Amino acid sequence: MIRVTSVWHPYGPNRRELDDFDYFGQEMSGNGTPPLRLKEWLILQIDSGKYPGLRWENEEKTLFKIPWKHATKHNYNEEEDAALFRAWAIHKGKFQEGAKENPSVWKTRFRSALNKSPDFKEVTDSDQDFKHYKIYSVVSDPPQKTYEVSKEAIKKLREEPPRMPMIKMENQGPDGSSKVLQLETFNTPMEEDYWLHVRLYYQGKLVNEMTTQTVEGCRIVPLASPGHEHILGSPHHLENILLPPPQILPDILSPEMQNVVKKLLLNLDKGVFLWVAPDGVYIKRQCQVRVYWSGPLAPYTDQPNKLEREKTCKLLDIEHFMHEIQMYVLYKGPEPQYQIQLCFGEEYPGSTPSSKKLITAHVEPVFAREMLVIAKRKRRKDPLAD
């Protein structure tokens, strides 16, 4: 397979060094500034001590109290009791200074955000008077299906050739009534067994695309600064799939968005490491920026799946994929899923479509894509599959 030509030239005259920035935003606010998620924002407010009555209830900082006075109470003070709700509305771009004040709407939106967030859970206690405040617990991040793999194990996985199955279908019996899907496994790997096809997007617009062709895998990284071509502890033969500097893409990003993406890229310096092993496709997040994903093994389809830093995560299981191929061909099962989506710095999946996200990547194991093509062809040709 021929490598796909990149959309941009990595060593052109517009190559520049990126500024320092740390971004863990969720979505764009009204003024174009990426706000913090509710969890990070609220924890900052509690720690600040700016709001009377908003405080931690234990030393572990897992329980906190929020003043929750009703506006009809005689001791209600709008400036003080609605201050937190007002600040959240400003942070989310739902209210601007000078606009009409609406404390009840602020409070409703804040309560809705708390109730929808997987990071908080309201605590009730019959022995307490909850008329004037609420207590919430901070929920730990949901468990991810991660795999701790030693350097020696990873090296062994790469040295051991993948045993990729090939599909062979035969009708058995004189009347052709029985069906057999035969999977043949070959010890000698083909080059494309290791290939990954990767597409990179800025706000849904393609900025780079290539097919990797090394056994070691690849890294998705910003354009490296001189002298930082290799990451310590990573194989030296990794292919780098480069995220282009946004300033050379004026037709794709506005000047405002260029600055946001430019700052986000610096903390992506170590990127993410992707590779194909005999039993599946793996990823390891090495950058500071949070990375979220969706794919066949993702724990959730309707809420964010976060990759833990420096932990190996399995994205696709080959044995399970092949079982789905069998069910698809022989018994008209659902089409096997093999595509993987990555989102950098913003929660994913969620209510916001990937086309609105700042930086995303679409990853396809080439062997899985080609195997599904073969399976579709077999299914169309086999009269028993219909």
Side-chain angles (χ1 to χ4, degrees):
M1 185 174 292
I2 300 174
R3 182 190 307 272
V4 179
T5 304
S6 297
V7 177
W8 65 287
H9 195 287
Y11 300 105
N14 292 318
R15 177 176 177 176
R16 299 177 188 171
E17 209 170 310
L18 304 179
D19 295 334
D20 189 15
F21 188 71
D22 191 11
Y23 172 60
F24 300 112
Q26 181 177 2
E27 58 187 16
M28 303 308 297
S29 65
N31 60 7
T33 304
L36 295 172
R37 296 168 56 233
L38 175 61
K39 182 178 181 179
E40 283 80 11
W41 181 87
L42 187 52
I43 288 175
L44 284 175
Q45 309 316 308
I46 301 172
D47 289 338
S48 72
K50 288 167 51 179
Y51 304 95
L54 180 67
R55 64 173 187 265
W56 294 109
E57 290 292 286
N58 58 359
E59 293 183 0
E60 295 78 17
K61 293 187 176 183
T62 57
L63 288 174
F64 61 92
K65 178 188 288 187
I66 299 180
W68 209 271
K69 289 184 182 178
H70 197 277
T72 59
K73 297 296 180 181
H74 69 279
N75 61 345
Y76 178 80
N77 183 325
E78 179 179 310
E79 184 175 346
E80 179 179 304
D81 296 324
L84 179 67
F85 313 137
R86 184 178 190 272
W88 175 246
I90 293 174
H91 180 70
K92 294 294 289 181
K94 302 298 184 181
F95 176 74
Q96 295 181 353
E97 298 288 351
K100 182 180 178 181
E101 306 269 332
N102 200 334
S104 62
V105 172
W106 302 337
K107 187 175 183 179
T108 298
R109 285 176 173 160
F110 186 77
R111 179 174 58 240
S112 176
L114 273 174
N115 292 339
K116 289 180 180 178
S117 173
D119 298 319
F120 302 108
K121 183 178 181 181
E122 187 173 359
V123 177
T124 57
D125 188 338
S126 58
D127 296 333
Q128 298 291 334
D129 179 12
F130 282 86
K131 293 181 180 179
H132 303 308
Y133 65 86
K134 290 180 181 290
I135 293 180
Y136 283 86
S137 63
V138 180
V139 179
S140 302
D141 288 336
Q144 301 287 318
K145 188 174 182 179
T146 58
Y147 298 76
E148 291 292 346
V149 183
S150 66
K151 292 181 180 179
E152 292 75 16
I154 291 176
K155 182 179 179 182
K156 183 178 180 181
L157 284 174
R158 295 201 191 95
E159 290 175 348
E160 179 183 346
R163 299 168 61 90
M164 300 298 182
M166 298 298 291
I167 302 174
K168 181 181 179 182
M169 178 177 289
E170 296 179 356
N171 289 332
Q172 302 294 320
D175 59 353
S177 59
S178 63
K179 299 184 285 187
V180 173
L181 182 68
Q182 193 172 345
L183 299 177
E184 298 178 352
T185 303
F186 299 94
N187 291 329
T188 304
M190 301 174 66
E191 273 189 29
E192 56 266 32
D193 290 343
Y194 301 101
W195 292 0
L196 292 168
H197 185 75
V198 181
R199 296 194 292 269
L200 304 179
Y201 298 88
Y202 290 169
Q203 289 197 316
K205 299 180 179 66
L206 182 67
V207 295
N208 198 359
E209 180 178 12
M210 67 180 291
T211 299
T212 65
Q213 296 179 319
T214 60
V215 176
E216 289 80 9
C218 66
R219 283 187 302 136
I220 299 176
V221 288
L223 185 62
S225 300
H228 293 84
E229 285 76 12
H230 300 296
I231 300 299
L232 186 63
S234 296
H236 293 302
H237 299 293
L238 287 178
E239 289 191 75
N240 287 339
I241 304 178
L242 301 177
L243 290 156
Q247 59 268 30
I248 70 171
L249 303 167
D251 297 333
I252 289 181
L253 296 172
S254 66
E256 188 176 42
M257 288 299 97
Q258 287 180 33
N259 288 332
V260 175
V261 172
K262 178 181 176 182
K263 293 174 182 178
L264 172 58
L265 286 176
L266 186 62
N267 281 312
L268 268 166
D269 55 348
K270 294 183 180 180
V272 294
F273 172 27
L274 288 151
W275 72 96
V276 178
D279 64 331
V281 180
Y282 289 84
I283 190 171
K284 188 173 186 178
R285 168 192 158 203
Q286 296 179 309
C287 56
Q288 296 180 43
V289 171
R290 292 183 180 181
V291 181
Y292 298 86
W293 70 290
S294 66
L297 297 184
Y300 304 110
T301 58
D302 58 350
Q303 58 180 293
N305 303 295
K306 186 177 73 172
L307 291 172
E308 298 298 332
R309 192 176 182 188
E310 297 297 343
K311 288 189 177 180
T312 301
C313 178
K314 194 174 189 179
L315 304 177
L316 175 73
D317 183 86
I318 290 178
E319 183 177 354
H320 181 71
F321 176 75
M322 291 311 304
H323 173 73
E324 290 188 330
I325 286 283
Q326 288 181 295
M327 301 303 293
Y328 172 74
V329 175
L330 296 179
Y331 305 107
K332 299 182 67 175
E335 183 174 312
Q337 300 300 307
Y338 65 93
Q339 299 175 338
I340 298 142
Q341 303 284 344
L342 304 176
C343 184
F344 299 87
E346 299 175 275
E347 290 188 338
Y348 181 81
S351 57
T352 306
S354 60
S355 61
K356 301 293 184 182
K357 300 297 186 181
L358 289 173
I359 301 176
T360 55
H362 181 91
V363 181
E364 293 184 354
V366 173
F367 80 86
R369 182 178 65 191
E370 294 183 350
M371 197 164 288
L372 183 57
V373 169
I374 296 172
K376 287 182 176 180
R377 190 180 304 130
K378 295 290 186 182
R379 178 163 159 168
R380 285 196 301 267
K381 289 182 178 180
D382 179 28
L384 295 179
D386 298 326

